[in-house]
């Protein structure tokens, strides 16, 4: 199981769940950069790299993947606010194709990059997702977003029964404010295609100076109840993906779960990249 290669007839699905709670305005891993901004940078970087991967040497990406970014917070009455946050012509869509993503960036940002000659050059980089304004950020309705993800992924699985199962990457810094999220996480992971069950990865973000823990295999590696709960909510990494990660010199022991505790920007990107190794060009057909 979890061995299916991605092709245009049987695309993959990658869904980000993004915590928009108030504490996401705090610095990431002791830095001054807000956690929400670090998450936005990581998602935009991943989407840009995924488009390049799907271009396969051409000038437009092929529709190898459906991707989505779902955010969650609460309103003034502490009621859940959950929904897609890609903008412009992608607004309101839970999942979009690679062509739609390519054609509809939210904006172009001017960045400096190294040129082949070693000098700095200005380039415009597309972005699709921006961090929310602080005044819109409140609670952490984690159960609600996991239920929302279930409905989105169930519909996708019904339309793509032969595909590699969906990957859901949950980025959060807080505990649920709407109940115990473990049953909702288990319900989400019960979804499956013919190639196996949906994979749920959880990335815990913090302003702590404690050491990060990436891909833990034992719950005892995590010090507090919240992180242990996220561990239990995370999928065991399939052996194929684990071996691909090890080949990239990332320490992923047998039985490791798709989780990062107290993740900094580097750790967050490693979790995303290992989870999406199925998207590497060698696996696209």
């Amino acid at each position: 199981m979890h061995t299916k290669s991605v092709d245009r007839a049987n695309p993959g699905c990658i869904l980000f769940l993004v915590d928009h709670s108030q504490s996401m305005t705090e610095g990431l891993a002791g830095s001054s950069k807000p956690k929400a901004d670090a998450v936005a940078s990581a998602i935009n970087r991943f989407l840009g790299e995924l488009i390049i991967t799907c271009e396969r040497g051409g000038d437009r990406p092929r529709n190898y993947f459906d991707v989505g970014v779902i955010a969650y917070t609460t309103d003034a009455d502490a009621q859940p606010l959950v929904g897609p946050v890609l903008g412009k012509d992608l607004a309101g869509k839970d999942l979009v194709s690679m062509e739609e993503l390519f054609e509809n960036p939210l904006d172009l940002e001017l960045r400096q990059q190294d040129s082949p000659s070693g000098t700095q050059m200005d380039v415009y980089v597309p972005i699709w997702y921006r961090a929310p304004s602080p005044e819109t950020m409140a609670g952490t309705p984690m159960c609600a977003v996991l239920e929302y993800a279930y409905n989105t992924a169930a519909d996708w699985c019904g339309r793509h029964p032969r595909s590699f199962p969906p990957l859901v990457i949950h980025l959060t810094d807080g505990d649920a404010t709407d109940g115990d999220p473990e049953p909702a996480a288990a319900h989400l992971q019960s979804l499956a295609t013919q190639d196996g069950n949906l994979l749920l990865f959880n990335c815990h973000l913090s302003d702590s100076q404690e050491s990060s823990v990436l891909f833990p295999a034992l719950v005892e590696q995590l010090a507090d109840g919240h992180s242990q709960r996220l561990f239990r909510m995370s999928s065991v990494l399939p052996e194929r993906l684990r071996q691909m990660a090890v080949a990239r010199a990332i320490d992923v022991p047998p039985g490791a779960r798709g989780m990062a505790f107290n993740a900094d920007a580097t750790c967050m990107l490693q979790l995303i990249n290992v989870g999406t190794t199925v998207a590497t060009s060698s696996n696209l057909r």
Side-chain angles (χ1 to χ4, degrees):
M1 306 295 278
H2 296 97
T3 59
K4 175 73 177 180
S5 293
V6 172
D7 56 42
R8 281 172 284 184
N10 300 288
C13 176
I14 302 168
L15 185 63
F16 289 94
L17 308 181
V18 185
D19 184 350
H20 276 190
S21 63
Q22 181 61 38
S23 55
M24 289 287 286
T25 62
E26 298 169 356
L28 175 67
S31 74
S32 60
K33 185 172 186 175
K35 286 172 276 192
D37 290 346
V39 166
S41 295
I43 290 175
N44 285 315
R45 176 176 171 177
F46 169 76
L47 294 178
E49 291 175 351
L50 186 61
I51 283 176
I52 292 171
T53 298
C54 292
E55 285 174 349
R56 301 281 285 166
D59 58 0
R60 295 178 64 82
R62 301 175 184 179
N63 286 326
Y64 289 118
F65 292 92
D66 296 316
V67 298
V69 183
I70 307 298
Y72 65 105
T73 186
T74 54
D75 63 17
D77 297 318
Q79 295 303 304
L81 291 175
V82 182
V85 288
L86 297 177
K88 290 191 174 179
D89 290 345
L90 305 181
K93 296 183 177 183
D94 293 330
L95 293 168
V96 301
S97 70
M98 298 311 300
E99 283 190 356
E100 289 177 296
L101 197 70
F102 174 78
E103 293 171 352
N104 296 283
L106 183 63
D107 203 354
L108 297 174
E109 287 190 349
L110 185 63
R111 306 267 179 87
Q112 282 200 327
Q113 292 185 356
D114 291 334
S115 70
S117 63
T119 61
Q120 290 283 301
M121 62 180 182
D122 291 336
V123 296
Y124 283 95
V125 178
I127 63 168
W128 292 270
Y129 164 67
R130 290 192 190 278
S133 56
E135 62 270 16
T136 66
M137 303 170 76
T140 314
M142 195 176 294
C143 299
V145 76
L146 292 169
E147 292 166 1
Y148 191 103
Y150 178 92
N151 292 329
T152 302
D155 176 73
W156 188 91
C157 288
R159 291 182 288 108
H160 302 92
R162 298 183 179 182
S163 289
F164 188 92
L167 171 67
V168 178
I169 301 174
H170 177 215
L171 303 145
T172 180
D173 76 333
D175 204 352
T177 57
D178 62 344
D180 180 3
E182 287 193 58
H187 190 217
L188 178 58
Q189 291 175 81
S190 72
L191 290 171
T193 66
Q194 295 172 13
D195 193 44
N197 286 77
L198 175 148
L199 299 175
L200 174 60
F201 284 15
N202 287 284
C203 185
H204 172 263
L205 308 170
S206 173
D207 57 359
S208 171
Q209 296 285 356
E210 292 183 25
S211 298
S212 299
V213 179
L214 181 62
F215 300 117
L218 299 171
V219 72
E220 291 79 12
Q221 292 177 255
L222 305 163
D224 61 79
H226 174 49
S227 59
Q228 291 174 358
R229 171 180 283 173
L230 287 176
F231 174 89
R232 293 191 297 269
M233 289 167 55
S234 301
S235 299
V236 175
L237 206 67
E239 184 60 19
R240 177 189 175 210
L241 268 66
R242 191 190 75 82
Q243 291 179 358
M244 294 171 73
V246 171
R248 297 182 179 192
I250 299 174
D251 182 20
V252 184
R257 301 214 178 195
M259 181 194 170
F261 167 70
N262 194 31
D264 58 15
T266 300
C267 189
M268 175 169 48
L269 283 169
Q270 282 187 310
L271 180 77
I272 293 171
N273 288 336
V274 168
T276 55
T277 48
V278 71
T280 58
S281 57
S282 61
N283 293 309
L284 300 182
R285 294 182 178 177

